[in-house]
Structure formats: structure tokens, C-alpha cells
Amino acid sequence: MSEALRRDYQVCEEIGRGRFGTVFRCISVESGDSFACKSIDKIILADDSIDRQCIEGEAKIMHLVSGHSNVVQIFDVYEDDTHLDIILELCSSSDLFDRIADRVFSEAEAAAVMKPLMEAVAHCHRRGVAHRDIKPDNIFFDEWNRLKLGDFGSAECFREGELMSGIVGTPYYVAPEVIAGREYSEKVDVWSAGVILYIMLAGIPPFYGESSMEIFEAVLRANLRFPARIFHSVSTAAKDLLRRMICKDVSRRFTAEQVLRHPWMTSVGETRTEADLT
């Protein structure tokens, strides 16, 4: 970590570890408030120009999307010859990955996650940012149980009508056009969010396999099914929304804004809030 950061913050315990860096809890010397610090060792990235570009762009992208209540906020950046340290909002509650393990959500519970998630995704897309790695591990909750979309290490900026390239994402959640190596739009985020909704309602992913290769092959086939024994109590509206999000035909796949306007999103669980999901 940079010396300047250590002057301003007391660095505490490790709270997370990712592909590009380690996350620590830290305390502001001036205010006493707690934050998260994502510390990236630039030496490790020295021989990988693509990874280095992603990391250097993460802070800039977070400044672009910061300010929305459902996006992890960025507060400061410290950089020296060896480290890039990003000071972020601390999300001290469990992430969505922990919350969906070994349980099935009711439609009201799922809607309470999907609404703020899609609000965050729509906000990013309006700012010209595609997240490109939406998965339960990157969906956090703060101490008041508010959902926060985070980890923009794979994010990319785009202009309206402009396509992106590059294979990024995570098995189970990545869109088929990404795996196929084609150029793609910000709608890859809608596909990923649709997979999360499916998992919350079914308890299993829509496409799976014994290895990453088998998962990718299943995603490429995109044969979306709703087994009766699992979906017997799931509403027609929920399944309709899933078909429109997990849609291989990108031209027919919903945008984030269209997801928010879907009847299931506007009616199911309208009296339920994120704070109910404990």
C-alpha cells in the first residue's frame, strides 16, 4: 500500500480477495469512519497490459457511476510506483452469493433484489458503462441492508450504438455472444441479471455442466427451460420476464430500462423492500 494512504487511514483486517487485488477494512484517521480499501499490486500486472488497462480504468469508471444509491461509492485513489489503492464504501453485510446459497427465494424476495439491481444496471448504462461481470459475488449489501453493485474491474465504457469485445465474465452468468467471441452490447448485463433471477427462483442455474467448458456449451445452446417440479409455483409473469432477459437473440433481449418497466417488476413485492431481506 502507498505511504500516503497509510498516513490517512488505519489499515485493518482483510475482508476480501479477488483476481486483481486484496480488500481491507480501513478507518479514516480524520473522521474515524470505516471504509473498504482495494489494494492492487501493480508489479504483478507489469507483464499483462490487458489486466493493467482494466485496473487503471476501474477507478475512472467508478467515478463515472458513483453517486447512485445502489452502486458502491468511490471516495479516493492513492497510487505510487508499486500499488494502486482505491478507497470504497464499506459493505459490511453478506453478499448475494452467501444469501442465495442453499435456498430458494419467493417472488417477493427476488423482486426486492432485482429492482435495486436493475436500477443500478440502468444507471450504469445511462452513464455509458457496461459492468460485464454481474454475478452474486459482486452484489453487496451495506449495514442497512441496501443493495450495492460493485467490483467494476471488468467494466467497459461504451457510446450509444457502439459494440464491445473481449471475453470477460464468469461461467453460469456470461452471455452467449461473449463466449462466442462476437462483439456485444451492454445487454450482456441484462442476461447476467436474468440468470441471477432464475437462480433465486429455482435454486439452480439455467445452464450448467460438470466443467467450465460444459457450462459454456450449455450457455451457447441457450435452451431455457422451466422444469415443472421446480417452477410449479412461479408465476407466468416471472417466467415471461426471464424469457425476455435470458434471450439469445440480442435484438429481442430487454434493455435494463425495459426490465424495470415489466409488469412483474412493477407489481410483485411492491410493498417489500431490501431491508426485508435479512
Side-chain angles (χ1 to χ4, degrees):
M1 289 185 178
S2 67
E3 289 302 316
L5 180 143
R6 291 186 179 277
R7 286 196 299 269
D8 295 339
Y9 293 89
Q10 176 189 346
V11 180
C12 305
E13 74 277 8
E14 178 182 323
I15 56 175
R17 188 177 288 267
R19 177 183 169 196
F20 294 128
T22 305
V23 182
F24 299 90
R25 184 175 69 87
C26 62
I27 300 171
S28 169
V29 173
E30 182 179 351
S31 69
D33 295 331
S34 291
F35 297 88
C37 172
K38 184 173 184 178
S39 184
I40 298 141
D41 187 340
K42 294 165 67 176
I43 303 300
I44 295 175
L45 304 176
D47 297 325
D48 194 324
S49 60
I50 295 176
D51 283 355
R52 189 168 64 250
Q53 289 171 14
C54 287
I55 288 305
E56 290 172 350
E58 181 176 3
K60 295 175 184 176
I61 284 173
M62 292 203 70
H63 278 299
L64 275 177
V65 299
S66 198
H68 191 279
S69 60
N70 296 118
V71 174
V72 172
Q73 306 299 296
I74 184 171
F75 293 99
D76 217 335
V77 178
Y78 294 83
E79 186 172 9
D80 60 17
D81 292 339
T82 61
H83 285 84
L84 175 65
D85 301 313
I86 307 173
I87 304 299
L88 302 165
E89 179 179 10
L90 178 65
C91 296
S92 54
S93 189
S94 57
D95 61 29
L96 185 61
F97 180 83
D98 291 330
R99 296 186 182 205
I100 65 174
D102 303 320
R103 64 162 295 198
V104 174
F105 281 47
S106 70
E107 290 189 44
E109 290 171 328
V113 170
M114 287 303 295
K115 189 173 190 305
L117 173 59
M118 295 313 300
E119 293 279 8
V121 173
H123 166 76
C124 292
H125 291 179
R126 286 192 296 269
R127 294 293 179 93
V129 171
H131 187 283
R132 303 201 301 175
D133 194 21
I134 291 178
K135 58 183 177 180
D137 321 49
N138 290 337
I139 299 169
F140 308 101
F141 295 87
D142 66 13
E143 60 181 309
W144 296 283
N145 216 34
R146 290 179 300 203
L147 182 145
K148 304 280 183 174
L149 178 61
D151 198 341
F152 285 79
S154 297
E156 181 69 73
C157 292
F158 65 91
R159 293 186 176 89
E160 187 173 354
E162 183 179 79
L163 297 178
M164 293 162 275
S165 61
I167 298 178
V168 295
T170 301
Y172 292 125
Y173 306 99
V174 64
E177 60 267 30
V178 177
I179 300 172
R182 301 195 303 268
E183 291 187 318
Y184 50 84
S185 74
E186 70 276 13
K187 285 186 180 181
V188 295
D189 289 343
V190 175
W191 174 285
S192 301
V195 172
I196 291 173
L197 175 57
Y198 188 105
I199 291 172
M200 287 192 291
L201 294 175
I204 59 171
F207 314 112
Y208 50 88
E210 295 299 319
S211 65
S212 293
M213 186 58 65
E214 287 185 7
I215 296 168
F216 290 150
E217 289 171 353
V219 171
L220 283 170
R221 289 193 297 271
N223 185 13
L224 184 63
R225 295 179 176 178
F226 301 107
R229 63 184 176 82
I230 296 174
F231 280 88
H232 65 277
S233 62
V234 175
S235 70
T236 301
K239 288 182 278 192
D240 179 73
L241 178 57
L242 284 167
R243 288 189 188 96
R244 295 174 187 274
M245 297 178 74
I246 311 174
C247 179
K248 189 174 182 179
D249 184 345
V250 180
S251 68
R252 294 174 55 239
R253 189 184 306 162
F254 266 13
T255 64
E257 298 282 3
Q258 287 175 311
V259 172
L260 287 168
R261 294 195 298 268
H262 188 275
W264 186 83
M265 291 288 286
T266 58
S267 62
V268 176
E270 58 188 5
T271 60
R272 194 177 179 91
T273 66
E274 297 161 75
D276 296 317
L277 287 175
T278 56

